[in-house]
Amino acid sequence: MASGSADQRVQQCQSETLQCPICMKPIEDPRLCAQCSKLFCYSCIHQWLQKANDESGNPACPYCRCMCTIDSFVKILEGSPLYPCKPVADGINATDQLGTDADARKDPDAILHRLEKLLLETQGFFNETNKRVTQELKKQKTLLEQTKNNHIKTVNLMSQQELREIHQQFHAKKSEIEAWSEILTNKLDKHQFDIASVEATLQQSSPKELVVKQTEIENACGKVTEGLKSVTLNIKPHSFKSNLIPEPTSWKFTVHKYSSIRRTNEIQYSDLVSDDIGSVWRLEVHPCGYEDAKNTSLSIFLQLYNGIEGHYHYSVELLGPARNHIYEAEEYFELRKGWGQNHFIDLKSLQESFLVDDGFEIKFAVRALNLVDKYGKLEKRADLLTTEVEHLKKIAYPDCLDEVVTIRNVIDAAKSAACLHSDILCDDIGGQWRLQIYPGGNGECRGQFISIFLEFCSGIPNKYEFTVALLHQNVKKIVKKTLEYTIQPSLPFGWKTFLGREELINNGYIQKDSLSIRLTIKPPNATQKLHYLRQHLEQTREPAGGNKHPARKESVVSYDSKPTTSQEPFESRIRKASISLYKNLFPKSSSTEQP
């Protein structure tokens, strides 16, 4: 049985013949990895690192995966204890070597030695992996801590800046109020002095003197009264501007002829208004109260008529000549459901303090709770707009044909360059179409590409946009091509080089000897579609003896069949109808290739 320390066993393993982990052959010109102590051939490790650098830019040891360069590998000189033993001499034949290996596998000491060696290598690899994983986890924790601290620092800076700006606004407004306080105090002091003078005159004058001074005292009192009426605090309510709280969107609504609508309690609705998110609101006013507030209070509710449901901060303010009455709150708004107060203000206070010319004015405002909430609502609004745009596109550019067709017997046709046809497809404005597919290519492209053409079988020739999509199970591999063209009967138009033949065969487009193709045809816009439909309906009402379109040419399935490429224009065709005369002129066909 083997004996000795672990170090002796390691030295003994190192003295044996070693194989390069890359080429699995005896090591030539050994190089030692300083991290894991593995030996490699110089040429092998040099090529490995160079390839890794070219592919990822991160050359690493193939054993321990530590980042390194060729210069970081230590060259082992011959004669060194670490230098690997030379392989068995050429004089020993293969049979002797196999016999030696077989004997070693039966020798218990050799087996123990080999397994101990394997265990040492495994333990070394485990230690290196454990060290690498520990270092990586520590690095990730440190990075996470740094990221958290940076975010907290940024938020604190923003909060401190926000607090400074709010304090600045507060002190500026406070200074304005203090200035007004001084101005109004001086005015009131002057009027108080005038009142004291009148009071002194009354006390110091006899009744006979008061008869004489009566007019003077009345004028003095009237003057003081007029002066007091002009004493007003001309300061607008202040709303703090914040970078973290969005500005509210506000509107005004005036209720007229209050006396008459109060008797009927007819509900008054404001116009529909939109906020900066795109939600639509309206104010609902019950002149004589709602439910338990009837005949006692004015009821006001704010309603989300259309838009994004969610929490909102809202305020309703009743504007008066001398003072305002305000209510504000935060609520979750659902569509067509209102929030507000049944007992907004009692009817007596309304009539005494807020009615002007038999009417009153209300200011109402809405905002998101904060910027994060606003961004979330804007994102939802963007999704709704995207859906709406897609719907509008469908209306503005209506498809008159959208079908998926299956083309069978593709493999044989690809080998023989035959032409395959789809079934006749009918659009919703009286046209008939079919696809011509050459899996093996058409004309000079035979054997190189799949060619696809669209044939207008019958109907009224007009300008169309048509899209042909070769379908695939992987959406990213779907091949789609689109053209806008004035296509004419019996003159197919499309692509000779739709897709490479090899790509068609090798990339999974052919499933069960079939191809799936989506054909979409649409007029340039909705107006044109209506025009085309009118043409079709008028054509169907023509007399039986009227001129007809030329009959469709039947395409023959053969190796030489291909779409016609005639360059001659269609003759003008005149059709008499009971209503008017139509004349259709058709332009030259430029090519059967995509422009």
Side-chain angles (χ1 to χ4, degrees):
M1 180 175 292
S3 62
S5 64
D7 294 338
Q8 291 175 341
R9 291 199 299 271
V10 172
Q11 292 177 359
Q12 187 176 0
C13 293
Q14 291 173 339
S15 65
E16 295 178 351
T17 301
L18 297 179
Q19 289 183 337
C20 173
I22 298 177
C23 65
M24 303 305 294
K25 295 181 181 179
I27 298 177
E28 296 290 341
D29 191 6
R31 292 292 190 275
L32 176 73
C33 175
Q35 299 293 330
C36 62
S37 301
K38 275 293 179 181
L39 291 173
F40 303 90
C41 298
Y42 172 76
S43 59
C44 294
I45 193 62
H46 186 268
Q47 293 178 4
W48 177 279
L49 295 176
Q50 187 175 12
K51 182 178 179 181
N53 185 59
D54 294 340
E55 291 179 352
S56 63
N58 298 315
C61 171
Y63 191 79
C64 66
R65 302 299 178 187
C66 293
M67 302 295 294
C68 56
T69 62
I70 189 61
D71 295 333
S72 62
F73 282 78
V74 181
K75 180 177 182 180
I76 307 300
L77 301 178
E78 188 172 1
S80 171
L82 296 178
Y83 195 87
C85 296
K86 294 182 179 181
V88 180
D90 296 338
I92 301 177
N93 57 33
T95 304
D96 295 339
Q97 183 65 34
L98 291 174
T100 303
D101 293 342
D103 294 339
R105 288 186 174 276
K106 295 179 181 179
D107 184 10
D109 292 340
I111 292 174
L112 177 61
H113 176 69
R114 180 172 57 82
L115 294 179
E116 287 178 341
K117 174 185 174 183
L118 178 62
L119 179 60
L120 286 174
E121 292 178 350
T122 306
Q123 183 65 39
F125 183 71
F126 171 80
N127 292 338
E128 292 297 331
T129 304
N130 184 48
K131 178 181 178 182
R132 174 172 55 83
V133 171
T134 303
Q135 291 175 348
E136 185 65 26
L137 289 174
K138 184 178 179 180
K139 179 181 177 182
Q140 291 296 329
K141 289 179 181 178
T142 304
L143 182 62
L144 179 63
E145 186 74 18
Q146 292 176 351
T147 305
K148 181 204 72 172
N149 292 336
N150 290 337
H151 277 284
I152 292 176
K153 182 179 179 181
T154 302
V155 172
N156 285 335
L157 290 174
M158 292 177 62
S159 300
Q160 293 172 7
Q161 179 65 26
E162 193 74 9
L163 290 174
R164 283 195 295 269
E165 292 180 359
I166 291 176
H167 280 299
Q168 289 175 0
Q169 295 178 53
F170 168 76
H171 290 302
K173 198 65 179 180
K174 185 178 179 182
S175 300
E176 182 184 353
I177 294 174
E178 290 175 350
W180 272 103
S181 174
E182 183 177 355
I183 294 172
L184 295 178
T185 300
N186 293 334
K187 288 184 177 181
L188 291 175
D189 289 344
K190 182 178 179 301
H191 291 307
Q192 188 176 13
F193 177 78
D194 294 339
I195 292 174
S197 299
V198 172
E199 184 179 3
T201 302
L202 284 174
Q203 293 176 356
Q204 297 173 5
S205 301
S206 62
K208 292 182 179 181
E209 292 175 340
L210 289 177
V211 174
V212 177
K213 297 179 180 179
Q214 177 181 355
T215 304
E216 180 184 349
I217 294 174
E218 289 177 350
N219 291 336
C221 290
K223 184 178 180 181
V224 171
T225 303
E226 291 298 323
L228 289 174
K229 289 181 179 179
S230 65
V231 176
T232 56
L233 185 62
N234 191 16
I235 299 178
K236 295 181 179 179
H238 185 71
S239 60
F240 289 95
K241 294 183 179 179
S242 171
N243 294 324
L244 301 180
I245 300 176
E247 287 290 318
T249 306
S250 59
W251 309 271
K252 288 184 178 180
F253 172 51
T254 303
V255 176
H256 300 284
K257 299 180 180 180
Y258 175 71
S259 300
S260 61
I261 62 175
R262 178 185 174 183
R263 289 193 294 269
T264 60
N265 199 22
E266 181 182 354
I267 300 175
Q268 302 296 301
Y269 293 103
S270 70
D271 294 334
L272 297 177
V273 291
S274 299
D275 61 16
D276 55 357
I277 298 177
S279 297
V280 180
W281 304 83
R282 73 174 178 180
L283 199 65
E284 178 182 324
V285 179
H286 297 257
C288 200
Y290 177 70
E291 290 185 346
D292 62 331
K294 278 190 175 180
N295 300 320
T296 59
S297 301
L298 179 73
S299 301
I300 299 180
F301 304 97
L302 182 62
Q303 184 183 100
L304 177 61
Y305 192 81
N306 192 12
I308 307 300
E309 295 183 345
H311 285 94
Y312 290 89
H313 179 280
Y314 71 101
S315 63
V316 179
E317 185 175 6
L318 182 61
L319 307 179
R323 64 184 181 90
N324 297 342
H325 179 75
I326 188 171
Y327 172 78
E328 58 181 331
E330 292 180 1
E331 299 291 351
Y332 186 91
F333 280 84
E334 297 177 301
L335 292 178
R336 307 298 174 89
K337 293 184 179 180
W339 280 99
Q341 278 193 320
N342 277 354
H343 300 273
F344 182 78
I345 189 172
D346 63 273
L347 298 180
K348 182 178 179 181
S349 298
L350 173 66
Q351 294 176 353
E352 291 177 351
S353 304
F354 296 95
L355 278 183
V356 177
D357 296 332
D358 199 24
F360 55 88
E361 189 174 37
I362 302 173
K363 179 181 178 181
F364 58 104
V366 180
R367 65 167 173 83
L369 301 185
N370 49 60
L371 288 182
V372 176
D373 179 58
K374 183 173 182 178
Y375 293 153
K377 289 182 171 67
L378 285 173
E379 187 176 1
K380 292 180 181 179
R381 177 63 177 167
D383 293 339
L384 291 176
L385 288 176
T386 301
T387 304
E388 186 176 349
V389 167
E390 294 300 324
H391 179 66
L392 291 175
K393 283 183 177 179
K394 189 172 182 180
I395 296 175
Y397 299 96
D399 298 340
C400 62
L401 176 63
D402 187 7
E403 295 284 347
V404 176
V405 297
T406 300
I407 308 299
R408 307 185 188 280
N409 303 321
V410 176
I411 297 178
D412 291 340
K415 295 177 180 178
S416 58
C419 177
L420 302 176
H421 297 89
S422 70
D423 295 333
I424 299 294
L425 304 173
C426 298
D427 61 31
D428 59 1
I429 54 176
Q432 292 185 334
W433 311 78
R434 75 170 178 176
L435 288 169
Q436 294 183 0
I437 297 94
Y438 294 81
N442 171 252
E444 65 274 13
C445 298
R446 184 174 298 177
Q448 301 177 16
F449 297 91
I450 174 177
S451 303
I452 299 179
F453 301 93
L454 180 63
E455 181 183 1
F456 186 37
C457 302
S458 65
I460 301 176
N462 278 305
K463 189 174 185 179
Y464 293 92
E465 177 187 294
F466 60 93
T467 300
V468 176
L470 183 58
L471 303 184
H472 194 280
Q473 293 178 346
N474 185 349
V475 178
K476 294 182 179 180
K477 291 188 177 182
I478 294 177
V479 181
K480 182 186 294 186
K481 295 191 177 183
T482 301
L483 281 176
E484 190 173 276
Y485 186 69
T486 304
I487 195 165
Q488 303 170 5
S490 303
L491 186 61
F493 190 85
W495 301 266
K496 286 186 178 180
T497 57
F498 191 87
L499 182 67
R501 183 173 179 273
E502 294 299 324
E503 187 176 357
L504 171 73
I505 296 175
N506 299 327
N507 286 0
Y509 290 96
I510 302 176
Q511 297 291 328
K512 297 181 179 180
D513 199 19
S514 301
L515 290 176
S516 294
I517 300 176
R518 178 183 290 276
L519 173 62
T520 304
I521 301 174
K522 56 186 178 183
N525 52 57
T527 304
Q528 288 295 101
K529 180 174 181 178
L530 292 175
H531 177 65
Y532 296 172
L533 181 60
R534 187 181 297 111
Q535 285 182 316
H536 169 67
L537 295 176
E538 290 174 351
Q539 185 189 42
T540 57
R541 292 199 298 266
E542 289 183 356
N547 294 330
K548 300 293 182 181
H549 286 292
R552 175 178 59 84
K553 289 185 179 179
E554 293 292 338
S555 299
V556 181
V557 179
S558 67
Y559 302 156
D560 299 326
S561 63
K562 63 179 181 179
T564 176
T565 58
S566 173
Q567 300 296 317
E568 295 184 2
F570 268 84
E571 296 180 359
S572 301
R573 293 176 296 175
I574 303 175
R575 303 191 306 270
K576 276 191 175 182
S578 58
I579 302 175
S580 62
L581 181 66
Y582 294 94
K583 184 177 180 182
N584 293 319
L585 299 176
F586 304 106
K588 290 184 178 180
S589 172
S590 57
S591 170
T592 59
E593 289 293 322
Q594 181 179 1

